Amino acid sequence: MTSVAEPVVDELIPEEVIAERVISLAKDIARSEPEDMLIVVILKGSFVFAADLIRALNRAGAKPWVDFMTLSSYGDGIRSKGAVTLSRDISEDVTGRHVLIVDDILESGRTLQFARDLLSGRGAVSVKTCLLLDKTEKREVAVEADYTGFEIGDQFVIGYGLDLAHRYRGLPYIGVVRRD
Ligand code: IMP
Ligand code: MG
C-alpha cells in the first residue's frame, strides 16, 4: 500500500440532520409528484442519497421506478473539467413519463442542465429535479432544483456518497476538506 496524506475533514452536516432532511424531502415529493414517476439517479455521487431517499419515498407511500445514469464533469481532483460526459445511460424509455432526477450537488449547473435537457429531449412529459446539496454561489448556467436538501457555501465536501478522487464516499456525514 502506498501511503497517501489524509485530508483534514471537518463535519458540516451530521448524519441525523441528513436523515431528517431526507424524510422531509421524501414527504414533499410523495405529496406533489405523480405516483408513476421514474427516478433517474445520477451516479456516482448520489448513490447513498438515492438509496435513503427511495426508501423514505416508499415509507411516504410512493413507489417509483428507478434507473441509473453515470455522468461526470469532474476529473480526479477537486476542479471541474467543464464538459459533461455520459458514460452509462438508463435502460428505461422516458417517452411520456414523469421523471425525477436525483443528484448529489448542484454547482455550476452543467450536469443537471445536461441531464434535464437529455431526458426532456427524449420525450419525458415532465422532468423535476431533487438535489442533496446546492452551492448557489457557484452557478454558471441558469438551472435550479425543484427539491433541495441543503444550501452550502463554496466548499469542497465529501462523504455520504461524495468523493475526493474516488475515496471517502462511505463517510456517514457530509464533511468539508480543510484547505491549507
Ligand atoms: P456541476 O455540473 O458543476 O453542477 O457539478 C456537479 C457535479 O460535480 C456533482 O454531481 C458532483 O459529482 C461534483 N461536485 C461538485 N462539487 C463537489 C464537491 O464539493 N464534492 C464532490 N463532488 C462535487
Ligand atoms: Mg455527480
Side-chain angles (χ1 to χ4, degrees), residues 11-91:
E11 186 175 76
L12 181 67
I13 312 176
E15 270 188 86
E16 313 75 52
V17 176
I18 300 171
E20 274 176 31
R21 186 73 190 113
V22 169
I23 291 167
S24 108
L25 280 173
K27 285 182 180 159
D28 289 350
I29 294 167
R31 199 180 310 119
S32 314
E33 300 305 326
E35 283 221 347
D36 57 353
M37 72 184 141
L38 166 66
I39 290 186
V40 174
V41 179
I42 309 297
L43 298 175
K44 300 173 186 166
S46 66
F47 79 107
V48 175
F49 173 46
D52 285 345
L53 185 70
I54 61 175
R55 286 176 294 172
L57 278 169
N58 191 282
R59 287 183 203 109
K63 306 216 168 19
W65 274 257
V66 182
D67 204 347
F68 303 88
M69 176 182 276
T70 308
L71 296 180
S72 50
S73 66
Y74 260 59
D76 269 351
I78 61 171
R79 296 266 301 263
S80 176
K81 285 189 296 187
V84 179
T85 348
L86 168 67
S87 49
R88 182 199 180 277
D89 205 346
I90 50 171
S91 48

Side-chain angles (χ1 to χ4, degrees), residues 42-46 71-74 77-78 80 82-84 103-113 131 133 135 138-141 143 152-159 161-165 169 175 177 179:
I42 309 297
L43 298 175
K44 300 173 186 166
S46 66
L71 296 180
S72 50
S73 66
Y74 260 59
I78 61 171
S80 176
V84 179
D103 201 2
D104 53 2
I105 303 194
L106 183 51
E107 195 178 53
S108 72
R110 282 188 292 259
T111 304
L112 192 62
Q113 187 184 52
L131 276 286
L133 302 170
K135 293 186 191 177
K138 300 277 283 181
R139 200 78 80 254
E140 288 171 29
V141 298
V143 54
I152 60 170
D154 178 12
Q155 297 157 302
F156 192 81
V157 289
I158 60 173
L162 294 156
D163 71 308
L164 171 61
R169 293 193 196 274
V177 178
R179 285 179 186 152

